[in-house]
């Protein structure tokens, strides 16, 4: 019997958000809206998203002993996340500087702060959390050596989910544990490197599978998502909504997918549910404040895919681009 449906190991940032009419070019200054400060970070976002949906969730992260750290802890506890694994001190809390344009698209710069001090030793010290968790999810806003230690700390029957954002080449040990590896188009191309051939996501997914993951999910923005495993490759449709702010929606997608896999759903079923959760998240401003409850996500279950859907992961610059970066996804 597991105490937690999902253990999220990852970053916790304060999101400093400014609305802009357009993003500035090099050397250019533009005026924006009043500054808004929200709890964020890919790890903290995923934990809140899962808990809002009803998953028993714990977070393993590091924040600073400062106002931003207290904001993050308060947000986690309010959502029902167990913060026993959140460490305090060592550096200031991480900060994400986010601009959001009128279409809801965003650009993000992250200062890791305390996230960069989440060390392999912290993972080993939290062994009891890993053995109590059905699914473990992480990202790459913490040191890569810490992610490697997460893989080495997994309980024998637990499932590992990785969103490699920001993307970088991954060691075989980490790739082999992923079930699934969740990437958008940009992340897929970075991880594939010279092995990236062709423009079809189906090709990328098959090559990624050959690198070792047990399963792969490629998020495709307006085209939905694609799931791939030893059983084959399958498209998952997106859901049509009016986007307000895409910040954090990719993290909601990943959290929902990880949780539903732990309940026994197939990869395609879990991805379809995650697409609804991600779509619901873009209809409200902010990251964690936008995450739906299970009832709100289910209200989109009968929504028809359309010509203007909003699902996580489109690379910026595409027509009607609605990237859910999650801070990026």
């Amino acid at each position: 019997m597991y105490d937690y449906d999902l253990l999220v190991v990852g970053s916790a940032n304060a999101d400093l958000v400014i609305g802009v009419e357009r993003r500035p070019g090099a050397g250019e200054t533009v005026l924006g809206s009043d500054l808004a400060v929200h709890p964020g970070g890919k790890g903290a976002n995923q934990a809140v998203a899962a808990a809002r949906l009803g998953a028993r969730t714990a977070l393993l992260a590091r924040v600073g002993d400062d106002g931003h750290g207290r904001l993050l802890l308060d947000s986690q506890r309010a959502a029902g996340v167990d913060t026993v694994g959140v460490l305090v001190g060592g550096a200031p809390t991480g900060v994400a500087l986010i601009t959001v344009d009128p279409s809801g698209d965003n650009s993000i710069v992250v200062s890791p702060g305390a996230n960069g001090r989440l060390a392999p030793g912290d993972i080993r010290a939290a062994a009891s959390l890993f053995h109590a968790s059905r699914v473990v999810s992480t990202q790459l806003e913490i040191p890569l050596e810490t992610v490697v230690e997460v893989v080495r700390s997994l309980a024998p029957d637990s499932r590992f989910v990785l969103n490699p954002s920001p993307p970088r080449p991954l060691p075989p040990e980490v790739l082999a544990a992923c079930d699934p590896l969740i990437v958008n188009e940009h992340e897929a191309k970075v991880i594939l490197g010279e092995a990236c051939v062709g423009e079809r996501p189906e090709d990328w997914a098959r090559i990624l599978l050959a690198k070792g993951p047990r399963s792969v999910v490629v998020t495709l923005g307006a085209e939905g998502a694609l799931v791939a495993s030893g059983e084959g490759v399958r498209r998952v449709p997106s859901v049509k909504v009016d986007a307000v702010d895409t910040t954090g929606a990719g993290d909601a997608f990943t959290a929902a997918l990880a949780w539903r896999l732990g309940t026994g759903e197939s990869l395609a079923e879990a991805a379809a549910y995650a697409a609804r959760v991600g779509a619901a998240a873009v209809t409200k401003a902010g990251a964690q404040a936008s995450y739906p409850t299970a009832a709100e996500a289910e209200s989109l279950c009968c929504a028809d895919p359309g010509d203007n859907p909003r699902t996580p992961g489109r690379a910026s610059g595409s027509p009607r681009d609605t990237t859910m970066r999650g801070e990026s996804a």
Side-chain angles (χ1 to χ4, degrees):
M1 178 65 180
Y2 293 99
D3 294 327
Y4 303 107
D5 299 311
L6 179 64
L7 169 64
V8 180
V9 184
S11 58
N13 296 324
D15 286 351
L16 279 55
V17 184
I18 299 177
V20 294
E21 287 299 315
R22 58 182 177 82
R23 284 167 285 181
E28 181 183 17
T29 299
V30 299
L31 294 178
S33 66
D34 291 341
L35 175 70
V37 181
H38 304 290
K42 296 190 72 63
N45 285 351
Q46 288 182 16
V48 167
R52 287 260 178 88
L53 293 170
R56 297 170 301 165
T57 308
L59 175 66
L60 175 53
R62 184 176 285 276
V63 299
D65 186 10
D66 50 34
H68 287 157
R70 289 185 284 277
L71 170 71
L72 286 157
L73 283 168
D74 288 345
S75 177
Q76 295 292 308
R77 291 165 180 159
V81 177
D82 191 334
T83 59
V84 66
V86 179
L87 306 169
V88 179
T93 301
V95 172
L97 307 176
I98 304 173
T99 60
V100 182
D101 70 19
S103 73
D105 197 12
N106 60 51
S107 294
I108 302 168
V109 177
V110 175
S111 172
N115 298 308
R117 274 70 166 185
L118 187 65
D122 298 327
I123 304 303
R124 290 190 290 270
S128 60
L129 281 177
F130 286 89
H131 288 283
S133 302
R134 186 183 304 276
V135 180
V136 177
S137 176
T138 192
Q139 328 79 35
L140 297 184
E141 287 186 337
I142 58 176
L144 184 57
E145 59 266 27
T146 303
V147 175
V148 172
E149 192 61 38
V150 168
V151 169
R152 294 173 179 172
S153 300
L154 295 170
D157 297 327
S158 64
R159 189 162 188 164
F160 178 64
V161 176
L162 174 66
N163 171 219
S165 179
R168 70 190 80 171
L170 297 170
E173 182 179 4
V174 172
L175 284 169
C178 295
D179 192 15
L181 175 74
I182 303 175
V183 294
N184 64 18
E185 295 166 88
H186 171 64
E187 292 155 1
K189 291 177 179 179
V190 170
I191 293 170
L192 287 171
E194 294 181 356
C196 185
V197 293
E199 292 299 322
R200 298 178 66 247
E202 287 83 357
D203 296 331
W204 308 337
R206 291 187 180 99
I207 299 170
L208 283 169
L209 276 177
K211 286 182 170 288
R214 302 175 192 180
S215 59
V216 170
V217 174
V218 183
T219 58
L220 300 171
E223 298 175 18
L226 180 150
V227 300
S229 67
E231 299 178 354
V233 179
R234 177 176 172 180
R235 292 269 185 157
V236 175
S238 52
V239 178
K240 182 179 179 179
V241 295
D242 292 323
V244 173
D245 181 1
T246 62
T247 305
D251 299 327
F253 178 95
T254 297
L257 178 72
W259 171 49
R260 295 299 276 242
L261 287 173
T263 67
E265 288 190 348
S266 70
L267 188 60
E269 290 171 334
Y273 179 78
R276 295 198 297 273
V277 172
V282 306
T283 63
K284 299 178 183 178
Q288 294 177 22
S290 73
Y291 294 153
T293 63
E296 290 169 336
E298 289 298 335
S299 71
L300 292 178
C301 69
C302 297
D304 293 327
D307 294 331
N308 187 24
R310 317 293 187 177
T311 53
R314 192 73 177 179
S316 61
S318 302
R320 300 293 300 179
D321 176 63
T322 55
T323 309
M324 297 182 182
R325 294 185 184 78
E327 319 206 72
S328 139

